[in-house]
Amino acid sequence: MLSSISIVYKQIINLHVVRKTVIGIALFVYINFLIIYSNPHNTFIANVANYLLFALFAIDTLLDKEIKIYHNWFTDGFLIFVLFAGLSISWSISPLYSYDVFYSLIQMAVNNYLIYNCLKKYNVQSYFVYGIIFALILNYLYGFGFINLNVQSNENWRFEGTAGNSNEMGLYIVFSVMLYLISLKRKIIKGKLFLLLFLPVSCYFALLTGS
């Protein structure tokens, strides 16, 4: 049954274009929501996008019957770190808290493999980069007061954005600028003129975070 569905799946649609577009959009939404809804009060929305991306990737892999796991030094290294960290549960003074942290680390390790496999298999690096950039643009519009993202602020004198934490927001901004510059150099994305606006605005909000 699965093999016949797979044959029809390949014959009806242009797999290369459609699969890349679907996975790319799902990755864009997930990365965007990961920043926009990183506030502890809204993380469930990012989790839904995460599950959707995982489901689409799993379904496409099963229908294509090309089950191959891509990995690199970072994905493997982080997994090894998580496994070693799990050993600390045995001497933790608060095992329940340690289990929660360990579960979160396991989720991060799985997502590292998921994102890397999406990038490697479908060549959707541009969707990944634009997902981050778009999330930062929304944060900047929120910071200037042009839009309301309905986020709860813990500090009134530092810019927290959607992260709910100024230090975390500062890391998002610095990472996005570096990623944007690298992506332009490697021709993953286009938009050198947009950089003239994005870079100074990013520097301005990075200073507002106080990080």
Side-chain angles (χ1 to χ4, degrees), residues 2-132:
L2 183 60
S3 60
S4 60
I5 295 177
S6 177
I7 293 174
V8 174
Y9 178 71
K10 289 183 177 181
Q11 290 178 343
I12 293 180
I13 59 179
N14 187 329
L15 287 179
H16 178 72
V17 175
V18 174
R19 289 163 62 195
K20 176 178 178 178
T21 303
V22 171
I23 296 297
I25 292 175
L27 180 63
F28 172 90
V29 172
Y30 170 56
I31 295 299
N32 183 54
F33 281 12
L34 195 61
I35 298 176
I36 294 298
Y37 298 108
S38 58
N39 191 295
H41 302 283
N42 299 318
T43 52
F44 74 95
I45 300 177
N47 290 338
V48 171
N50 189 185
Y51 298 145
L52 176 62
L53 175 62
F54 186 86
L56 290 173
F57 177 81
I59 292 172
D60 183 74
T61 300
L62 289 174
L63 289 176
D64 194 40
K65 302 176 69 172
E66 184 183 338
I67 302 177
K68 181 179 179 181
I69 304 298
Y70 295 94
H71 59 96
N72 61 5
W73 63 269
F74 175 78
T75 56
D76 295 341
F78 187 82
L79 179 61
I80 293 173
F81 162 75
V82 171
L83 295 177
F84 273 107
L87 297 176
S88 64
I89 297 176
S90 59
W91 63 77
S92 173
I93 60 176
S94 179
L96 290 178
Y97 175 76
S98 298
Y99 276 120
D100 289 338
V101 174
F102 181 64
Y103 177 71
S104 297
L105 289 174
I106 288 292
Q107 286 183 310
M108 292 173 63
V110 172
N111 278 326
N112 285 339
Y113 280 101
L114 174 62
I115 293 174
Y116 182 71
N117 274 265
C118 288
L119 296 175
K120 191 75 174 178
K121 183 177 180 179
Y122 302 99
N123 192 28
V124 288
Q125 289 86 347
S126 60
Y127 290 88
F128 178 84
V129 177
Y130 285 130
I132 296 176

Side-chain angles (χ1 to χ4, degrees), residues 19 23 46 67 79 81 100 112 118 131 140 151 168 173 180-181 186 198 204-205:
R19 289 163 62 195
I23 296 297
I67 302 177
L79 179 61
F81 162 75
D100 289 338
N112 285 339
C118 288
Y140 297 159
V151 296
E168 186 177 342
I173 294 174
Y180 196 102
L181 294 174
R186 295 185 177 182
F198 182 75
Y204 170 73
F205 278 101

